[in-house]
Amino acid sequence: MNAPSPPLAPTNAALMARRRAALPRGLGQTYEVFVERADNAEVWDVEGQRYIDFAGGIAVLNTGHRHPRIVQAVKAQLDLYHHTCFQVLAYEPYVELAERLLAKAPGDFAKKAFFLSTGAEAVENAVKIARVATGRSAVIAFGGGFHGRTLLGMALTGKVAPYKSGFGPFPAEIYHAEFPNPLHGVSVADALRSLEHLFKYDVEASRVAAIILEPVQGEGGFYVAPPEFAQALRALCDRHGIVLIADEIQTGAGRTGTWLACEQWGPQACPDLITMAKSMAGGFPLAAVIGRAELMDAPGPGGLGGTYAGHPLACAAALAVLDVFEQEQLLARAQAVGARLRAGLQALAAQHPEIGDVRGLGAMLAIELFQAGNLQQPNPELTQRVCAEALARGLVLLSCGLYANVIRILVPLTASDALLDEGLALLGAALAAAKHVPKPQ
Ligand SMILES: Cc1ncc(COP(=O)(O)O)c(C=O)c1O
């Protein structure tokens, strides 16, 4: 008898066909690639193709794929217990993580912290806390901001397609002001004026519970909130008794060269509440709300929490992330990675007039693409082609931006200089190839 033939190795195409048949199309798919394994800043797909990972699972892998210390901490936790529900039977790693995050948060005042599973949940809970603490209902967010895919997260998000299209009605009393974006004609003064307009046209300041902003807009296009804007918001919030929330879900955990990006606003612009998620637990689902103790204690017992919120494996991973940051001095590394990438991107901009801007904070960097030399004409098609050409050469990139014309870099901070340079070279090759579209026959 013939021996049974070994099962065929799956291909990306075959797995995509199964994915299309089984999963809804609303679950977008940036690249038709199925991963087999990953290590630090490299990924291999089921067909054996290697990729340099400049996406980091959308800002989740500041400490890289499978950092040995994080893997070890999670395995050790798995051998003890992996679920009790913190509100039923508590465990020390949760409390220790809260203590260590409080020690790192800016602001010379008493603070408290608690945990959830996703970024959107953290945003929702920060708004809940602000509402209970102030007895007010309105919330102001910013155009181009992104705060998650739950109904409140979508309501706060300042970008309709694809996040909000068809999903309304959204929770009421959410307003959007302009985010400073000089490249697209919005100065800090314009943005502050738009807030005054909201108070004049839409909602009185005394009914506003919170203002929420990202220190660097993530999905919106890596536009950086200048410290003077944050300081003006802080003064406005103080004047009107409004809670200032910094959404650090994408910027936090060292990406911008400080543990939290809002540290760079200076002591005169401390947020009252901070949301974190993504890289804080190195790839395990964990989110946090950190803030002024008197606000955090406003909701009554039972008002906060969740079945999986602050899961033991995720807490163990987050504690290991904190250790790795200390032991490997990843904040200094974030600054070095940022400087190296910025120099590389500026060199590319000197060769390619389509790159209209190189910007970011620390290692949170992006290029914005336009029709050559024309800042009035964003170029989403070229952006898409660059990403496709990069993937074909073994580099995973992510696009973003209100006009879908921004390429953002969220490479692990643990990547070597050699890997960064290799990725930059592939980006350069992808740009050159994407500019030469064959004319239709
Ligand atoms: C700034 C910001 N807030 C909130 C979220 C939502 O986080 P999650 O996808 O974990 O719900 C994201 C996700 O990209 C984000 O970047």
Side-chain angles (χ1 to χ4, degrees):
M1 260 184 37
N2 289 341
S5 48
L8 286 177
T11 62
N12 289 313
L15 290 168
M16 273 309 294
R18 284 171 54 195
R19 182 201 197 282
R20 283 199 189 93
L23 313 184
R25 68 189 181 121
L27 201 57
Q29 182 77 53
T30 312
Y31 298 116
E32 301 197 350
V33 169
F34 278 74
V35 172
E36 188 167 80
R37 67 193 166 88
D39 184 43
N40 197 3
E42 290 167 286
V43 176
W44 287 263
D45 75 6
V46 289
E47 298 175 10
Q49 166 80 37
R50 167 198 178 246
Y51 301 89
I52 295 176
D53 188 359
F54 269 19
I58 320 188
V60 172
L61 295 166
N62 290 354
T63 48
H65 290 273
R66 291 173 47 252
H67 192 291
R69 286 199 67 94
I70 298 171
V71 171
Q72 190 196 11
V74 172
K75 282 183 174 166
Q77 180 60 49
L78 200 49
D79 283 338
L80 295 174
Y81 55 91
H82 63 80
H83 182 76
T84 62
C85 184
F86 185 76
Q87 297 101 284
V88 179
L89 294 174
Y91 35 90
E92 188 181 358
Y94 186 120
V95 181
E96 184 188 343
L97 181 61
E99 290 166 348
R100 288 181 67 180
L101 290 173
L102 293 175
K104 293 176 87 67
D108 191 14
F109 43 79
K111 298 179 210 89
K112 290 193 172 182
F114 73 106
F115 301 113
L116 301 136
S117 305
T118 67
E121 262 185 295
V123 167
E124 295 248 353
N125 277 275
V127 170
K128 279 165 62 176
I129 291 165
R131 282 184 170 166
V132 177
T134 58
R136 306 172 181 185
S137 48
V139 181
I140 296 176
F142 291 91
F146 182 82
H147 299 287
R149 285 189 154 87
T150 56
L151 276 166
L152 180 58
M154 282 189 289
L156 293 166
T157 289
K159 187 178 178 196
V160 175
Y163 307 119
K164 301 166 79 153
S165 296
F167 290 119
F170 300 109
E173 296 263 65
I174 308 295
Y175 303 91
H176 288 94
E178 297 245 48
F179 194 82
N181 187 342
L183 193 70
H184 292 281
V186 185
S187 65
V188 167
D190 293 334
L192 291 172
R193 202 170 311 117
S194 76
L195 279 159
E196 292 303 334
H197 286 165
L198 279 184
F199 295 149
K200 261 197 191 1
Y201 305 153
D202 292 312
V203 60
E204 58 271 46
S206 60
R207 276 208 306 117
V208 176
I211 295 180
I212 182 167
L213 82 158
E214 296 161 87
V216 182
Q217 286 194 331
E219 305 303 306
F222 280 32
Y223 300 108
V224 182
E228 67 268 26
F229 180 63
Q231 288 157 13
L233 286 184
R234 178 69 274 173
L236 190 86
C237 287
D238 288 343
R239 198 154 66 244
H240 297 294
I242 298 171
V243 174
L244 183 62
I245 305 173
D247 182 347
E248 293 256 13
I249 286 164
Q250 192 153 155
T251 49
R255 172 52 51 185
T256 67
T258 43
W259 177 247
L260 293 163
C262 66
E263 291 169 51
Q264 299 179 46
W265 292 346
Q268 65 277 48
C270 261
D272 301 301
L273 299 176
I274 296 167
T275 54
M276 292 187 76
K278 293 194 183 270
S279 275
M280 73 179 294
F284 290 81
L286 189 72
V289 182
I290 302 164
R292 280 184 188 274
E294 71 272 20
L295 300 180
M296 298 287 282
D297 274 329
L304 305 174
T307 305
Y308 297 112
H311 192 274
L313 298 183
C315 287
L319 286 166
V321 166
L322 290 172
D323 292 341
V324 168
F325 263 84
E326 281 162 22
Q327 285 155 7
E328 299 181 17
Q329 295 169 4
L330 284 190
L331 292 182
R333 179 67 192 149
Q335 289 163 21
V337 167
R340 197 173 191 93
L341 289 176
R342 193 182 279 274
L345 295 175
Q346 278 164 347
L348 286 177
Q351 292 165 38
H352 300 281
E354 291 79 6
I355 301 180
D357 197 25
V358 175
R359 61 166 176 275
L361 202 60
M364 187 169 181
L365 285 168
I367 52 175
E368 183 156 353
L369 302 179
F370 297 86
Q371 309 286 348
N374 187 349
L375 293 185
Q376 302 307 315
Q377 291 195 321
N379 199 337
E381 298 81 19
L382 177 65
T383 308
Q384 218 177 2
R385 285 202 303 277
V386 173
C387 292
E389 293 287 352
L391 190 83
R393 287 165 174 75
L395 174 67
V396 183
L397 293 174
L398 279 178
S399 63
C400 63
L402 260 182
Y403 308 98
N405 66 329
V406 178
I407 293 176
R408 54 178 155 171
I409 300 185
L410 291 160
V411 64
L413 305 174
T414 44
S416 67
D417 283 349
L419 208 83
L420 298 180
D421 293 346
E422 193 184 339
L424 282 167
L426 292 176
L427 174 56
L431 262 161
K435 280 163 60 171
H436 298 290
V437 195
K439 296 250 181 315
Q441 300 292 323

